Amino acid sequence: MPFTVIDGVDSVEQTTRGVVVECQLIRYELPQTRQREHLREAVERTVPIEISFLRPDVFQFELTATPETPTSGSEHVDADAITTDVDLTVTREDGEIFLETAALTVRIGTDPWSFSVIDGTGRTVFKEHRPLAAKKNDPEVWPLGFEEAQTSEWLYSVEKTGIGFDIRPDEHYYGLGEQFTALDKRGQATEAWVSQPHSTDNDRSYKNVPFYLSSYGYGLFVDTDTKTEFSFGGGTQSAVSGEITAHSDTLRFLFVSGPDFEEILKTYTAVTGRPSVPPKWSFGLWASRYSYETQADVEQVTRRLREAEIPCDGIHLDISWMREGCISDLEWDRAAFPDPEELIDTLHERGYRLMLIEEPYLTAGSEAFQTALENGYLVSDSSGQPYLLDRLVVSKHRGGILDFTNPAAVEWWQQKHRDLLEMGVDGFWTDFGEYLPDDAILSNGTSGSQTRNRYPDLYQQTVADAMTAHGRTPLLWSRAGWMGTQRMPVHWGGDSDTTFSSLAATLRGGLSLALSGYGFWSHDIGGFSGTPSSELYIRWAQFGLLSSHARFHGTTPREPWEFGGEALAIFRKFARLRYRLLPYLYTHAVITSRTGLPMMRPLVLHYADDPATRTIETQYLLGRDLLVAPVLTAEGSVEVYLPDGEWIDFWSDTRYEGRQTLQLDVPLEEVPLFVRAGSIIPSREATQTVQPGPPEQLVLTARLSNGEASGRYYNESTETMTAVTVSADSAVELTVDGQLPNSTVIVTGVQTTPTNVRITDITDDTETVLNADAWSHDGDTLTIEIGPIPR
């Protein structure tokens, strides 16, 4: 297998934003045995490399191995979204080219070729690995270049492009999608290739993203939809160098300098897309099972949830809502669900919303399959015939795959959704999407190997657009994904096992996805396959009810009463806690939509400068101010690391200094939950369903740190983000920038009774000293009652 490497620079052309360099090539014929050296020959042609700065801290790198027919990038990478004016200096001296901005310097060696990136502090943060000079046989990783396939015993064609790079001794890597392996990807090799893992115990992933973050303060994402491989000193390759390989004739990547992870994620999501805010009701609890078999089952479960006073807003119907042998025709099984219109009306009257499962596959023999077959709506095989596969639809059925690159197929599928939306269905559970064969042929002329990673996006976009056209905020519950698919929330973690180890792996997958641009994510409370123990169910519920979204689901019943009275009481406690925290959750949902920052956050996202956070994968931040450490073992013991600052135990109000580790034995009815001192948490009284608009009485709990606290509340009625600060010394000042409903402000950490309490309203620049009957002081807690702001 020949490999051709960039050897030097033949010519340089300066552009308005960078340079285009024509590069000399050397081809290495790989030996059949390691006992002889490479055959090395110069290649007569050159290839272009273009480096273009979009912003002083962002540049695009593009190696085109076949410049006559270059492969385009992903349709969802919008470089214009971040492009600004750039003050760029290009200089040449002593065989090197320097591209300098205020934030970065790109350094290119011309003879021989070399490539490195230097940040604004002068530190080299990325450096190409060039091993060939000292290696007689296969190098650990190949430098910048492309791999070729030898055909007809003589001809060569480009198959892959890639680059090797140095790994620093103290460097850590994150991202690449929903990977269930260790959060820190150092020492791992990952294939970004949408697949069905069938569990959370292997290195395959439903949601792959060709984007990673480095602890050296940069992010890099490969602009492609093809299979992409990443090694960070893992697999059989080098422990000191990494490699990126795209199965394409073009290696195009964007390099984003931070150094702050938050800013890198904001830039990445600005380019690849940010999600809309899911409907507010979606932040309530969702009930599901594989499967509610009949209309009577649904009515019984929803009635019992209300009787048990379990807050709940969503009902998912798995495949039993469709007829046996007719999946996924999106037609009701009228024998099992004789009156779906009445069912939907009843659910709405009881305060529930309904979501229906679907798959992008059609069972052979069904009427929908026949329609798709006759009209060319199915993906074809290499002979041009519809690609039929066994075990495609619910394993035991034969079927075909919908072709979402065909506009007519998209319109047909959307019409089916319009009919359901007219009936009152509230959202869609867009399951599967990982099974596109490599040799499939799609309507737009692409192959399965070119489209497999993008297919889930095309599928979910089809359904989301149908909802948008119907005047609904799109709401999906999806399993597969790729770069940019975060635009269409919500995504969940797929088919986990009912074990504590699977619970921990699910958490790792969510944290990895959070550092890959996905803002809204959930998982199956209790695990999917099998029946969890009561203890596992409780521990999983505590984690699930303190996630972005919350759903119980599995192959056996997952309703909390199925696990005994204690489980029911604890589940109810945490469900009510979730509904109390809805103002906080919804506020952060808006922040996620506006910034791209995830609701669920690994500690390293905000505390990357603290070495202790760099490998923590057993706890997380929910929003900015709540720290959750789920219990991941049957023993009930937890090691909790508190990062910099001061942290307050949610249950006991005990204060702890940061940068320490707590060893806790956690009773079954609790989960370690800490609040960041200096924060203000908006909350409300728990209700049985999510209520639209502001609560009748908003509660703002300010936990002072050095006499200060601040927070935000999103006022749904005015669609404004309100900033609130509290400062306390001899007097207490509450500052409001925006609008608030009737509110109770609880300030903890006020040791002495203040001389007065005043409110400053920035919106109209007024200050009000509250009457003594509007506030009270007890112990270290000050309680303030205020009316709407502005008045």
Side-chain angles (χ1 to χ4, degrees), residues 305-323:
L305 282 165
R306 291 287 180 256
E307 292 170 354
E309 297 184 329
I310 302 294
C312 185
D313 278 80
I315 301 296
H316 275 180
L317 291 189
D318 212 313
I319 57 172
S320 293
W321 78 274
M322 293 175 284
R323 294 165 295 168

Side-chain angles (χ1 to χ4, degrees), residues 14-18 86 88:
Q14 185 170 342
T15 66
T16 56
R17 291 186 173 271
V86 177
L88 174 68

Side-chain angles (χ1 to χ4, degrees), residues 653-703:
D653 287 331
T654 303
R655 289 183 174 242
Y656 296 91
E657 288 299 321
R659 290 190 179 253
Q660 68 165 309
T661 300
L662 305 180
Q663 301 289 340
L664 304 176
D665 292 320
V666 186
L668 194 58
E669 68 272 13
E670 290 189 7
V671 68
L673 177 61
F674 296 85
V675 185
R676 186 175 62 85
S679 66
I680 298 178
I681 305 291
S683 63
R684 59 164 300 151
E685 284 296 315
T687 53
Q688 286 295 293
T689 59
V690 174
Q691 301 299 304
E696 290 184 9
Q697 192 73 18
L698 179 69
V699 178
L700 298 168
T701 303
R703 295 171 173 88

Side-chain angles (χ1 to χ4, degrees), residues 374-659:
E374 293 172 358
N375 289 278
Y377 296 162
L378 299 175
V379 168
S380 300
D381 62 22
S382 55
S383 70
Q385 296 300 310
Y387 213 130
L388 297 186
L389 297 154
D390 283 321
R391 303 199 305 169
L392 178 66
V393 184
V394 198
S395 75
K396 57 187 176 182
H397 294 294
R398 183 170 176 80
I401 303 173
L402 281 164
D403 185 350
F404 293 111
T405 70
N406 181 341
V410 167
E411 170 58 30
W412 176 67
W413 198 243
Q414 289 178 336
Q415 181 58 54
K416 285 182 163 292
H417 287 81
R418 284 193 286 271
D419 294 343
L420 293 167
L421 290 165
E422 286 288 346
M423 191 180 291
V425 172
D426 300 288
F428 297 96
W429 174 0
T430 42
D431 202 1
F432 287 88
E434 306 95 351
Y435 285 161
L436 193 62
D438 287 4
D439 60 344
I441 303 298
L442 289 94
S443 175
N444 66 351
T446 60
S447 67
S449 61
Q450 293 171 294
T451 309
R452 176 164 166 164
N453 283 330
R454 180 54 61 189
Y455 185 85
D457 192 281
L458 297 170
Y459 164 35
Q460 292 164 39
Q461 188 70 63
T462 295
V463 181
D465 286 348
M467 294 194 71
T468 300
H470 199 266
R472 303 282 192 90
T473 299
L475 178 64
L476 310 180
W477 186 268
S478 306
R479 190 171 76 175
W482 181 245
M483 173 175 62
T485 311
Q486 72 268 2
R487 305 182 325 279
M488 297 168 287
V490 175
H491 291 83
W492 103 99
D495 297 346
S496 51
D497 295 328
T498 49
T499 63
F500 274 100
S501 60
S502 187
L503 168 59
T506 297
L507 173 56
R508 290 196 299 271
L511 295 178
S512 181
L513 192 66
L515 293 177
S516 306
Y518 280 68
F520 301 105
W521 174 85
S522 188
H523 46 95
D524 290 340
I525 289 174
F528 175 72
S529 300
T531 301
S533 67
S534 177
E535 183 178 12
L536 174 61
Y537 179 79
I538 291 168
R539 294 308 192 187
W540 209 312
Q542 291 164 345
F543 167 38
L545 289 163
L546 291 170
S547 296
S548 154
H549 286 73
R551 176 182 86 156
F552 58 74
H553 178 71
T555 56
T556 57
R558 290 292 186 272
E559 293 76 29
W561 50 80
E562 299 284 344
F563 300 90
E566 183 180 33
L568 176 60
I570 294 172
F571 190 100
R572 182 189 298 115
K573 169 185 173 178
F574 280 89
R576 287 179 60 82
L577 172 61
R578 178 176 185 84
Y579 277 64
R580 282 169 50 201
L581 289 172
L582 280 171
Y584 175 80
L585 295 174
Y586 196 64
T587 294
H588 274 84
V590 174
I591 293 170
T592 291
S593 179
R594 292 179 177 181
T595 67
L597 295 178
M599 286 192 66
M600 179 174 157
R601 307 175 182 185
L603 267 61
V604 73
L605 176 60
H606 291 301
Y607 301 97
D609 291 338
D610 182 350
T613 69
R614 292 174 185 168
T615 57
I616 291 178
E617 57 190 20
T618 55
Q619 58 189 78
Y620 60 95
L621 296 167
L622 181 58
R624 183 67 179 88
D625 302 318
L626 295 178
L627 188 153
V628 188
V631 178
L632 304 175
T633 65
E635 292 75 21
S637 58
V638 175
E639 184 179 90
V640 183
Y641 180 74
L642 301 177
D644 194 35
E646 187 181 20
W647 294 87
I648 303 166
D649 187 302
F650 181 85
W651 310 108
S652 69
D653 287 331
T654 303
R655 289 183 174 242
Y656 296 91
E657 288 299 321
R659 290 190 179 253

